[in-house]
Amino acid sequence: MQKRTAMMADVAAVLERIPGDWIVDVTEEMVRIPSVTMNETEVCGYYERQLSDLGLEVDVREVTTGRPNLYACLKGQGDGPTLMLNGHLDTIPNQTNQPCYREGDLLYGRGTTDMKGGMAAVLGAARALLESGTTLAGDLWLTAVVGHEEPEAEKDGPKALIADINSGRIAADRIIIVEGDDELWVMSMGSMVFTITLTPDNGGRHTQYVDFRDNPIRYAGDLVAAIATKQDDLDVNEVHPLAGPERIDLGILHTGDYFNRTPVSCRFTGTRRWSPGKTAEMILDDLRQLVAPIAEAGGMQAEVTMEHEREPFETPLDDPLTEAVSAAHRELFDEEPRVIGRRIVGDANLYVHGSGVPTIYYGPSNDTAHADIETVSMTRLVDSARVYALAAMNFCGVA
């Protein structure tokens, strides 16, 4: 009873020091700093100063010139597990020149929800822990990465963080990525971009000399129909309880170069998303089996390749991290958090498979990420900081 009473007193001391107005101000200041992927230098400098102002030693880990990951640690007493709070500082372009302003409970601007708000909430949680004099049993790492959003970066920031975990430069027994909604996002499907190329023997001939039954475009249609049938099967037989059916989708179909000439190739590009328990190689082999009989029937050579593949992840509900965050949410809001999975992939897919560290998402919001008008609830920013602070106490323990 004495230990429980002491813990409750610690929680109260931390929560009353969550600096709500300061968190919102920091979010707004970061949003006003443009930081499209590959141009993150200024916002990294700002975030580094915020960490330093908290009295933390900052490890400035340059990914490429002028583009650093930032690492800082609230040292525990060394006898508890290590938690990492992680997020990215880059944004997608501000295509609509959306201004930054406040209206009611909402803060508007590119990066408010994706994900400068979450990164400001991390600073608020750390500040409350420090100012309350709370010492955790385990270490709490605060990490900010570059290179998340735009494909040209090739996820260089998250990959550098993985390398630094694996080398021992930084540490983590569990990771919370501070984006998403106020719910436990505990799984994401795997994803790949696939390209199917069919190369016919009779391509490049006048269509009048090729019976339409032998025209490669006819077999391109057969492949589209086979993909549709495949999705019908996935809708029934491959349904994840959190994320729903697996998906196969086409985005590009390119065939032919002249109106009365048979195509020299037929190329299909799309995405495939799959549930935990399968691998990218298994999915690629399944695609090849789907294509093979159609290519053979049309006398064509088939090539199926993949890129940007990400393996799925799922963190169990009885994992110490999900339990710690669930308990924090329940303590603060007197309700069980919603548990979700998604088809979309993110850095958790990389962290889990690259470093072996179980990871979940919990954040202030997600519904306007990448939207023309991006917003975040200022109330939710403060609530997220409260959850992060209490989750760290639950997971790392309090000395």
Side-chain angles (χ1 to χ4, degrees):
M1 175 63 72
Q2 185 177 4
K3 184 176 180 181
R4 173 63 179 164
T5 302
M7 178 63 172
M8 291 175 65
D10 289 333
V11 169
V14 171
L15 294 182
E16 70 182 16
R17 287 173 173 79
I18 295 291
D21 291 343
W22 181 83
I23 292 170
V24 175
D25 289 343
V26 168
T27 303
E28 182 174 351
E29 288 170 8
M30 282 200 290
V31 169
R32 292 187 182 279
I33 301 172
S35 57
V36 176
T37 309
M38 306 303 294
N39 293 282
E40 306 101 333
T41 302
E42 186 178 354
V43 77
C44 289
Y46 176 89
Y47 204 78
E48 179 190 354
R49 290 191 297 275
Q50 295 300 319
L51 291 168
S52 296
D53 287 348
L54 294 177
L56 299 175
E57 182 179 342
V58 185
D59 180 357
V60 180
R61 197 282 203 201
E62 214 168 54
V63 177
T64 63
T65 302
R67 300 178 56 246
N69 284 354
L70 303 172
Y71 310 143
C73 183
L74 277 68
K75 285 290 186 182
Q77 285 199 338
D79 57 351
T82 298
L83 177 64
M84 179 183 291
L85 300 176
N86 170 262
H88 62 86
L89 293 174
D90 59 318
T91 71
I92 69 166
N94 188 7
Q95 300 99 326
T96 58
N97 294 315
Q98 182 190 358
C100 180
Y101 63 95
R102 305 182 192 193
E103 185 175 284
D105 184 49
L106 295 180
L107 176 63
Y108 288 74
R110 175 62 73 218
T112 49
T113 193
D114 190 15
M115 57 178 296
K116 293 175 178 178
M119 297 305 290
V122 167
L123 294 172
R127 178 172 160 177
L129 289 166
L130 291 164
E131 291 185 354
S132 66
T134 301
T135 301
L136 300 174
D139 293 342
L140 177 64
W141 280 89
L142 316 178
T143 61
V145 301
V146 295
H148 165 87
E149 291 288 8
E150 294 297 304
E152 63 184 304
E154 298 182 338
K155 295 285 187 179
D156 55 1
K159 289 177 180 177
L161 182 135
I162 291 169
D164 293 335
I165 292 174
N166 292 339
S167 72
R169 180 169 181 164
I170 54 178
D173 293 312
R174 297 292 189 277
I175 300 172
I176 301 175
I177 298 178
V178 295
E179 70 176 335
D181 292 310
D182 54 338
E183 55 198 4
L184 295 177
W185 173 1
V186 299
M187 69 80 60
S188 283
M189 287 190 173
S191 176
M192 71 166 65
V193 176
F194 66 82
T195 297
I196 299 168
T197 304
L198 300 177
T199 305
D201 294 333
N202 62 349
R205 296 176 60 192
H206 198 295
T207 52
Q208 290 302 301
Y209 302 129
V210 178
D211 192 299
F212 186 72
R213 288 170 295 184
D214 298 323
N215 190 314
I217 288 181
R218 173 262 176 101
Y219 293 96
D222 288 349
L223 182 53
V224 171
I227 289 173
T229 299
K230 177 67 175 180
Q231 184 61 57
D232 290 341
D233 177 68
L234 295 176
D235 286 341
V236 174
N237 297 312
E238 302 295 343
V239 181
H240 191 279
L242 295 178
E246 296 185 6
R247 289 294 298 265
I248 182 168
D249 292 289
L250 283 176
I252 300 172
L253 195 168
H254 185 274
T255 182
D257 55 17
Y258 201 69
F259 68 91
N260 64 355
R261 191 173 116 100
T262 57
V264 296
S265 70
C266 304
R267 188 173 68 252
F268 309 75
T269 301
T271 55
R272 179 73 166 88
R273 300 180 189 272
W274 66 95
S275 298
K278 303 175 185 176
T279 67
E281 285 297 334
M282 292 169 62
I283 297 300
L284 186 63
D285 184 63
D286 184 62
L287 281 170
R288 287 170 173 156
Q289 292 183 45
L290 179 71
V291 172
I294 296 169
E296 182 178 1
M300 295 181 284
Q301 301 298 312
E303 181 183 29
V304 185
T305 59
M306 66 177 172
E307 59 182 348
H308 305 305
E309 64 270 18
R310 299 284 186 267
E311 298 291 3
F313 88 94
E314 185 165 15
T315 299
L317 292 182
D318 60 357
D319 185 89
L321 177 60
T322 54
E323 290 183 340
V325 178
S326 293
H329 184 102
R330 191 165 52 245
E331 175 84 15
L332 293 169
F333 307 117
D334 195 29
E335 65 178 16
E336 292 292 335
R338 183 168 172 249
V339 179
I340 68 161
R342 287 181 169 155
R343 293 193 190 101
I344 62 173
V345 301
D347 289 344
N349 298 71
L350 294 173
Y351 295 158
V352 170
H353 292 281
S355 67
V357 179
T359 303
I360 68 169
Y361 299 84
Y362 185 100
S365 67
N366 190 251
D367 56 331
T368 61
H370 294 203
D372 285 346
I373 305 298
E374 191 173 332
T375 66
V376 70
S377 160
M378 291 180 274
T379 299
R380 281 291 309 133
L381 289 178
V382 180
D383 285 344
S384 294
R386 298 165 72 208
V387 170
Y388 300 148
L390 184 49
M393 297 170 74
N394 290 341
F395 182 78
C396 300
V398 177

